[in-house]
Amino acid sequence: MPPSALTPFDRLKAACADDWRAYCQHDFVRQLGAGTLPGEAFRHYLEQDYLFLIHFARAWGLAVYKSRSVAELRQGLDMLKAIVDVELGLHVDYCRQWGVAEDDLLRIPEARATMAYTRYVLDAGNRGDLLDLHVALVPCMIGYAEIATWLNAQPFLKRDGNPYASWIAMYASDEFQDAADAERRWLDERLASVDPARFAELAGTFRDATRLEADFWQMGLERRF
């Protein structure tokens, strides 16, 4: 696709194409799709993802503070409430299916990869504006949507008897894909008006956040703290 045909968000991805591919097609992701990922690796990921969600909620709380319009304020508040009131509970239920009780989640220490990515996002939002915060957050939301779509197109995907099929289905769902599309549109609108120097700065944030997301997969794969 010629550069002129790319959307602003596509150009953001193109600026770190190798890192984006390494994240979206990580061995952890591939093993999820093939159904060969060790259960202990997935449990470790789930435990750390619970801690990640807590900081993700904090980041959307920061988005509320950084908002400059009522529409932006409502967007941040809706995302914050969705995580605190819905997603955390769903995640606890899902962890229980994998033998991890809620009391266990409350005692689990943060892995370094969890700390690195979540604090990076919060720092990006604190020192920048709302666009900086969104750019640091989107490798998670849009990345997971693209990962699920990519997995469903792969010949190695195990559809029957895959213990991770429900995880893939969750991020391939219309609801999640629609949320990711809404975030793309939000970013495209705002990225379209930034000058080249500002775009390069945002591309650096996006690249770093993408690398930290890949590190999160690697943390799960190696079961390391």
Side-chain angles (χ1 to χ4, degrees):
M1 183 181 294
S4 59
L6 296 176
T7 68
F9 179 68
D10 285 336
R11 289 196 293 115
L12 203 63
K13 288 194 302 181
C16 64
D18 290 342
D19 291 311
W20 186 253
R21 187 179 307 106
Y23 159 51
C24 292
Q25 300 179 22
H26 194 278
D27 283 347
F28 186 98
V29 171
R30 291 175 176 272
Q31 291 182 36
L32 269 175
T36 58
L37 183 70
E40 284 301 315
F42 190 65
R43 270 188 288 273
H44 184 57
Y45 157 78
L46 285 179
E47 292 165 354
Q48 292 299 313
D49 201 39
Y50 173 81
L51 301 176
F52 171 82
L53 275 174
I54 292 172
H55 294 296
F56 203 51
R58 293 178 64 210
W60 282 108
L62 180 59
V64 171
Y65 175 75
K66 291 282 182 173
S67 296
R68 295 188 177 184
S69 69
V70 173
E72 290 176 345
L73 192 154
R74 284 175 176 154
Q75 178 195 32
L77 181 59
D78 286 345
M79 291 297 296
L80 173 58
K81 286 176 64 64
I83 294 169
V84 174
D85 294 342
V86 179
E87 288 189 46
L88 279 171
L90 292 174
H91 194 82
V92 168
D93 290 342
Y94 193 64
C95 286
R96 193 176 293 117
Q97 296 174 30
W98 281 86
V100 182
E102 184 171 8
D103 287 345
D104 296 329
L105 291 172
L106 299 175
R107 291 192 295 266
I108 290 165
E110 276 188 282
R112 281 173 290 179
T114 308
M115 286 188 275
Y117 181 42
T118 58
R119 301 326 188 268
Y120 180 81
V121 168
L122 289 165
D123 180 64
N126 274 307
R127 60 185 162 80
D129 60 17
L130 190 60
L131 181 56
D132 290 287
L133 180 58
H134 273 256
V135 167
L137 281 168
V138 293
C140 181
M141 177 181 286
I142 295 180
Y144 274 42
E146 292 197 7
I147 284 167
T149 299
W150 179 76
L151 280 175
N152 275 318
Q154 301 311 303
F156 63 77
L157 178 67
K158 182 179 181 181
R159 299 185 183 277
D160 297 325
N162 186 338
Y164 310 114
S166 62
W167 186 95
I168 298 168
M170 175 170 55
Y171 294 110
S173 69
D174 289 343
E175 182 180 13
F176 193 86
Q177 293 289 325
D178 287 347
D181 285 342
E183 182 66 13
R184 284 190 195 93
R185 291 192 297 273
W186 190 96
L187 284 167
D188 281 337
E189 181 180 344
R190 284 151 184 84
L191 289 170
S193 62
V194 303
D195 62 34
R198 174 66 168 141
F199 189 89
E201 180 184 25
L202 291 165
T205 298
F206 183 79
R207 179 200 63 230
D208 291 342
T210 296
R211 290 173 175 174
L212 290 166
E213 275 280 24
D215 289 346
F216 199 79
W217 290 140
Q218 194 64 32
M219 171 272 299
L221 197 61
E222 296 179 0
R223 281 106 74 188
R224 68 178 186 227
F225 285 95

